[in-house]
Amino acid sequence: MRVFRQALKVAESAHISLDPDKDRRIHQGLASASVDIGDIISALENYRKAMEVCQKHGGIADEMEILMEIGWARWFTRMEREEAIRSYEEEIARAREVGDKGAESRILSTKAFYLATLGYRYEGYNMAVEAEAMALQAGNPRAVIATRGIRAVAERWLGRPGKTVELTEGLTDALSKMFSLTQLSGLIFIRGLSLAEIGRIEEAVAALKHGIDLCEKFGGAVHLGRLYNTLGYCFNEVHHPKEALKWNLKSEEIARKLMEQYPTGGPIAAEIVAQANVNLMENLFDQGRTEEVWTRMKSFEEESKSSDYYRSRDRWEARLDCLTSLILLQRDNIDEAEARITKNLEISRREHTKKIEGRFLRLLGEVQIKRNEFDNAIFSIGDAILILKEVGNPRQLWQAHASLASAYDKLKRLSEAREQCGTAAEVIRKTANGLSDRELREGFLNAKPIQEILANAGS
């Protein structure tokens, strides 16, 4: 960014009339660098100047590239839905006008991503699949990589992290050669998160630390907080809440600084703040610090009423509702817990988000256990297990089996209770066997919730 600014300064001070290609490249490069550091106002202004050069002097290929980059940069800003959709449609129409299917597919995938972050996950998924198919038909390698990355994210929205890992295999190497830092760090984040979700924790940690090193080395702040809080998520999945807390606090610090420094790009930083806060609350809950969680939760609920916090609200708010429901159940506030659970089940079924549905079905079973509706509980938790097996997330799965064991235990069906505890223990042992780091493995196996399951299974 400094070098491009110096180039402009030299040209202006020496009264140099830049040729169109050089003028376009300087402004486009400055815009791209501005996105990487989170300065979206500067990015959009320089993209506008680069576009003016293209439109004045021709150069359709360059115009299409800038058009795609503008669409992505705009995603980071606070936009009204109607305005955003209109802009994406206009850009798609321009790509069709010049017959550039690669550009059309990339803009369509960005539109898909935008809609999904407003909560329209299933619509976004279908659009992402359409965009990837279009890119493959066009045979444009850059378009295939870009649209496949969005398709990979979309698979995870629907609770298929294993598919996300499959789709992103080799993509980080391809993007590294192109050196698109924002795309690369975003892809590393989603791959790392998906690896962690299917229990491949050490691979996830390695990938995320690589992404963090890249962003810190090159000054790419826009996804840095996201990488840190995903690293925190990895450690919390295997019950290392204190280690997780450290990385989530770092994430929140980075994202809040970004919000303060570049308020126009506030929604993306606010989303990272929200996810980091939910992670932090989960870390505290796992340590038994429930009152501290409740206090932090109430404070964040007030803060998140700000318009900055609309991005991906469906995702982090569902996690917050899950945690709130657990605390309400601990306090025997069953009706309020059930209301939150029912709301989230309706949303998850409408949007086909399977992991969220599985989590809340298990919690519905916990409500039914509290009400002595044991047959209903067995049915709800059984459905949760079927869904969570498909998702492949070990932690959610062993928790669901433990909940089902509790329902059988209340009915004095002890052999079935032991069987469920045994299945939960088997998932735990498989996860532990995937941890080569001795300290990580022993910390996981010695965590209180894990010890309770293993003890009930007679392990």
Side-chain angles (χ1 to χ4, degrees), residues 110-124:
T110 306
K111 179 186 174 186
F113 199 59
Y114 171 75
L115 281 170
T117 57
L118 296 185
Y120 303 98
R121 298 287 167 178
Y122 195 57
E123 183 180 355

Side-chain angles (χ1 to χ4, degrees), residues 24-37:
R24 187 267 310 163
R25 283 192 293 112
I26 289 174
H27 285 294
Q28 188 176 353
L30 185 52
S32 178
S34 299
V35 170
D36 287 339
I37 67 169

